[in-house]
């Protein structure tokens, strides 16, 4: 865990909010908030390290943080849910600790009230089902447990955008001059735009990891036409189970690995499955 401190980064918006807090005389409040946010992110890091995830960086934001890993979408749903929930869970023992510290002479009632306010605010804020908050990641885990990965990506992005717009309209209607609200709104719009642009890359990375994965989980059968492409078939693959494909025209069954290798290794994901099968038949037999 000590080495993970080297991965901590500060988002530019963090410094903007920090400068505003310092100039307005809220340095102590900022320090307290920074400590809580840091512990929140270290909670994520501890859970990720428990599952041997590869952590790329931990970026601190004005009202939270983002732990970037090389594992998004490629680990078991249970692991991803546990890592996402680990951050908010940290706030519960912190709240309990504040009540215990009330007995100490250096922890006053004002400190306790402020500490509770920050913890509860961060707890509720991070559980909003908006990407990339922890609530959004938990919602994505739920989508991937119910739908193919490709559909889960699309549904998550659309749901998150809808919820973000609804929350933004309500908040800005009641607090139109709230500077931090505008900063956060700009940040979330940027994140959603970036996520939308990176969806094809994330999907291909999921397929690439799936190709190298040796899973013994049960298989489901999907009916496809040989006029479809391997990439079309891959869009029906779910995270929680392997898939095999039944071709309606000739009754042939293709394994998931055959479809994935056609996409990731042969680079023939946009070729019709019929043409792919014919090319395999034309290849000379090598003993």
């Amino acid at each position: 865990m000590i080495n993970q401190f080297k991965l901590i980064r500060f988002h530019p918006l963090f410094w903007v909010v920090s400068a505003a807090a310092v100039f307005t005389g809220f340095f102590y409040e900022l320090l307290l908030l920074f400590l809580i946010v840091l512990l929140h992110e270290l909670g994520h890091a501890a859970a990720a390290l428990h599952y041997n995830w590869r952590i790329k960086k931990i970026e601190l934001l004005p009202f939270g943080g983002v732990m970037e890993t090389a594992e998004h979408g490629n680990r078991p749903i249970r692991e991803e849910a546990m890592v996402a929930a680990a951050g908010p869970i940290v706030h519960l023992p912190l709240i309990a600790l504040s009540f215990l510290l009330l007995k100490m002479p250096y922890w006053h009632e004002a400190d306790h009230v402020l500490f509770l306010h920050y913890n509860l605010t961060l707890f509720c804020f991070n559980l909003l089902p908006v990407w990339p908050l922890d609530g959004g990641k938990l919602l994505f885990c739920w989508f991937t447990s119910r739908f193919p990965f490709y559909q889960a990506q699309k549904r998550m992005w659309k749901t998150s955008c809808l919820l973000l717009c609804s929350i933004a309209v309500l908040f800005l209607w009641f607090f139109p001059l709230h500077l931090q609200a505008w900063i956060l709104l700009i940040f979330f719009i940027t994140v959603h735009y970036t996520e939308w642009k990176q969806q094809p890359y994330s999907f291909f990375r999921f397929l690439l990891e799936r190709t190298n994965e040796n899973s013994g989980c049960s298989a489901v059968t999907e009916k496809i036409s040989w006029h479809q492409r391997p990439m079309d078939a891959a869009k029906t693959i779910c995270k929680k189970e392997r898939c095999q494909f039944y071709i309606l025209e000739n009754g042939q069954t293709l394994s998931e690995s055959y479809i994935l290798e056609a996409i990731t290794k042969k680079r023939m994901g946009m070729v019709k499955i019929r043409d792919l099968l014919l090319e395999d038949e034309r290849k000379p037999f090598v003993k």
Side-chain angles (χ1 to χ4, degrees):
M1 176 63 72
I2 297 298
N3 293 330
Q4 306 313 315
F5 285 100
K6 300 177 182 178
L7 301 175
I8 296 176
R9 304 288 185 271
F10 295 90
H11 192 275
L13 289 178
F14 184 90
W15 297 117
V16 173
V17 175
S18 299
V22 171
F23 282 115
T24 52
F26 290 98
F27 179 74
Y28 173 74
E29 290 80 357
L30 172 65
L31 188 62
L32 202 60
L33 179 61
F34 167 77
L35 175 63
I36 296 172
V37 169
L38 180 61
L39 292 174
H40 175 106
E41 291 308 312
L42 290 179
H44 287 305
L49 291 175
H50 173 73
Y51 293 114
N52 296 317
W53 283 27
R54 296 162 291 175
I55 301 176
K56 298 170 68 175
K57 68 176 180 178
I58 299 172
E59 188 171 39
L60 297 181
L61 306 169
F63 289 103
V66 176
M67 182 184 68
E68 185 178 338
T69 73
E71 316 294 345
H72 171 56
N74 302 318
R75 299 302 289 257
I77 298 174
R78 181 177 179 276
E79 285 188 18
E80 294 189 347
M82 291 297 293
V83 172
I89 289 175
V90 167
H91 296 291
L92 302 181
L94 288 179
I95 291 173
L97 177 63
S98 184
F99 280 97
L100 295 176
L101 289 177
L102 278 175
K103 301 177 182 179
M104 303 297 178
Y106 51 79
W107 192 251
H108 306 291
E109 183 68 27
D111 300 317
H112 173 69
V113 172
L114 184 62
F115 194 73
L116 286 184
H117 171 70
Y118 283 161
N119 273 284
L120 290 174
T121 299
L122 287 170
F123 178 80
C124 296
F125 177 75
N126 278 284
L127 284 180
L128 290 175
V130 175
W131 191 264
L133 298 177
D134 300 326
K137 293 177 180 178
L138 290 171
L139 181 61
F140 181 65
C141 289
W142 184 84
F143 276 129
T144 54
S145 69
R146 296 292 187 274
F147 305 100
F149 186 85
Y150 181 82
Q151 292 184 24
Q153 276 188 307
K154 302 295 183 183
R155 290 172 182 265
M156 178 64 233
W157 190 83
K158 292 178 181 179
T159 303
S160 184
C161 283
L162 179 62
L163 291 172
L164 176 62
C165 291
S166 302
I167 294 171
V169 168
L170 290 175
F171 200 88
L172 296 178
W173 176 266
F174 292 103
F175 307 100
L177 301 179
H178 199 289
L179 176 61
Q180 293 176 343
W182 283 102
I183 293 174
L184 285 172
L185 179 59
I186 293 172
F187 166 75
F188 280 113
I189 291 174
T190 303
V191 167
H192 280 69
Y193 174 75
T194 304
E195 185 67 21
W196 174 67
K197 296 288 287 185
Q198 290 184 344
Q199 278 188 356
Y201 167 77
S202 299
F203 179 58
F204 185 79
R205 186 176 63 176
F206 164 72
L207 298 181
L208 188 61
E209 291 286 337
R210 186 85 167 194
T211 304
N212 301 324
E213 177 184 300
N214 295 317
S215 175
C217 55
S218 58
V220 295
T221 301
E222 293 286 343
K223 295 180 180 180
I224 60 173
S225 168
W226 65 10
H227 297 293
Q228 291 180 277
R229 303 165 300 178
M231 187 61 74
D232 299 323
K235 292 178 180 179
T236 65
I237 295 177
C238 296
K239 280 192 63 174
K240 64 179 181 178
E241 52 199 359
R242 307 298 287 187
C243 194
Q244 58 184 9
F245 302 93
Y246 177 79
I247 301 178
L248 296 172
E249 284 79 4
N250 63 357
Q252 186 176 353
T253 299
L254 302 178
S255 66
E256 179 183 299
S257 59
Y258 179 86
I259 294 295
L260 292 176
E261 287 180 5
I263 297 171
T264 61
K265 296 182 179 180
K266 298 179 181 179
R267 304 298 191 207
M268 300 180 69
M270 306 305 289
V271 176
K272 289 184 179 181
I273 293 177
R274 181 185 60 182
D275 297 334
L276 183 64
L277 294 174
L278 289 175
E279 180 166 334
D280 287 342
E281 290 177 0
R282 286 195 292 265
K283 287 182 179 179
F285 176 74
V286 179
K287 204 169 186 180

